[in-house]
Amino acid sequence: MVAEAKKREIKEAHKRKKIMKERFKQEENIANAMVVWINEILPNWEIMRSTRRVRELWWQGLPPSVRGKVWSLAVGNELNITPELYEIFLSRAKERWKSFSETSSENDTEGVYVADREASLELIKLDISRTFPSLYIFQKGGPYHDVLHSILGAYTCYRPDVGYVQGMSFIAAVLILNLEEADAFIAFANLLNKPCQLAFFRVDHSMMLKYFATFEVFFEENLSKLFLHFKSYSLTPDIYLIDWIFTLYSKSLPLDLACRVWDVFCRDGEEFLFRTGLGILRLYEDILLQMDFIHIAQFLTKLPEDITSEKLFSCIAAIQMQNSTKKWTQVFASVMKDIKEGDKNNSPALKS
């Protein structure tokens, strides 16, 4: 028994040593990458961002010290939002919160409009407490509670046509952890203005269905066995993809892993969100093939906490985002065209 215990002890010591060695190596790689990003890439961003070397370095994950800066540059600021504009909409949000009880009781047109969209300011308070609860930094009294509240409130006034939608708090929270307040708002507003995010947060059902249909083309291409298994249970992508896309995986994956997904999402755009989804399905394919509808839905809603970046990114890398000779954008365009032609053929005017 003593000999067995000694063996176990030696084995555990070797395991700890291996983990420490890997950690040191990882930290060294991050430190080396940080120097390259700060001294070479960021000062020459437009020239270097699309080079093979930078893309490969990007895939390995951004050093935390430059992550926010790279995200901001990659997302861009097509909306031309300034810190001053953020302050204007933040002031408007604060006014709305102050007078909410009055305006919500009014029966005039403005009152109805406020109740419809800007009244979602009130919903923000409820949702913030559910944002990364285990971190305790966004809950009331936490260091980032007020900042998260401000960014979401300002956005609701900036885009009353979108309003506040559940899931937004997670995206804003991740940006706050990596950027200063005004910069986080600028990145947040521009990120949510991208076609995919706009379709989901506006709950544009027809556009969402087009994204799901495109996803299924690549699902069948890459994981045909699992695809047929899902089909046999009529398990459609909306059941698991909506939550993943709404929060950009920040609710479904460990935070450090979600940030790495964001890194490549900022590099590759919306395609990578769906590629990540396929990577997750590939990673757990064997388990999912043994499950029925209910258990699959439960499993994909709450993924295992021990998921590692090495395993997930290995599975994502194995996913081919090409159907025959068509890439994601071409397949998506074909789906759009097919649906439009289908609508025309089903038009009452054409039938009469």
Side-chain angles (χ1 to χ4, degrees), residues 20-183:
M20 287 299 289
K21 198 175 177 182
E22 284 173 1
R23 191 174 294 166
F24 284 134
K25 190 181 176 184
Q26 193 179 17
E27 285 173 3
E28 191 181 354
N29 289 340
I30 289 169
N32 292 337
M34 182 183 70
V35 172
V36 175
W37 278 100
I38 290 171
N39 295 336
E40 296 178 41
I41 302 168
L42 290 175
N44 305 290
W45 175 251
E46 290 304 330
I47 299 165
M48 294 193 70
R49 67 178 295 181
S50 299
T51 62
R52 187 175 176 179
R53 181 190 173 210
V54 170
R55 287 181 65 79
E56 285 175 359
L57 198 60
W58 207 328
W59 174 268
Q60 292 163 23
L62 297 169
S65 56
V66 300
R67 179 167 269 147
K69 180 68 176 171
V70 176
W71 286 358
S72 287
L73 288 167
V75 170
N77 187 10
E78 287 183 0
L79 298 171
N80 295 314
I81 300 170
T82 61
E84 292 75 25
L85 191 66
Y86 167 58
E87 290 299 331
I88 289 167
F89 283 103
L90 177 55
S91 297
R92 193 173 295 178
K94 286 176 178 176
E95 285 168 21
R96 288 288 178 193
W97 279 317
K98 199 175 176 182
S99 62
F100 183 78
S101 55
E102 295 171 27
T103 54
S104 62
S105 63
E106 289 175 6
N107 293 319
D108 60 13
T109 310
E110 190 194 356
V112 172
Y113 179 68
V114 168
D116 185 39
R117 281 299 183 185
E118 289 196 25
S120 59
L121 289 168
E122 199 65 13
L123 300 175
I124 292 168
K125 291 179 184 177
L126 300 172
D127 224 26
I128 286 177
S129 61
R130 305 171 194 151
T131 307
F132 297 121
S134 60
L135 296 181
Y136 302 110
I137 55 176
F138 295 105
Q139 282 62 49
K140 198 156 185 69
Y144 292 119
H145 173 271
D146 292 349
V147 181
L148 181 56
H149 200 239
S150 295
I151 286 174
L152 295 173
Y155 179 79
T156 307
C157 290
Y158 172 66
R159 291 298 299 265
D161 59 316
V162 179
Y164 176 76
V165 182
Q166 274 193 332
M168 283 184 181
S169 62
F170 280 88
I171 296 176
V174 173
L175 290 168
I176 288 165
L177 291 174
N178 291 279
L179 289 160
E180 293 299 320
E181 185 173 338
D183 292 328

Side-chain angles (χ1 to χ4, degrees), residues 9-24:
E9 195 179 316
I10 292 167
K11 195 177 178 182
E12 284 297 317
H14 280 306
K15 193 178 176 182
R16 283 196 300 272
K17 193 177 177 182
K18 191 183 175 184
I19 290 168
M20 287 299 289
K21 198 175 177 182
E22 284 173 1
R23 191 174 294 166
F24 284 134

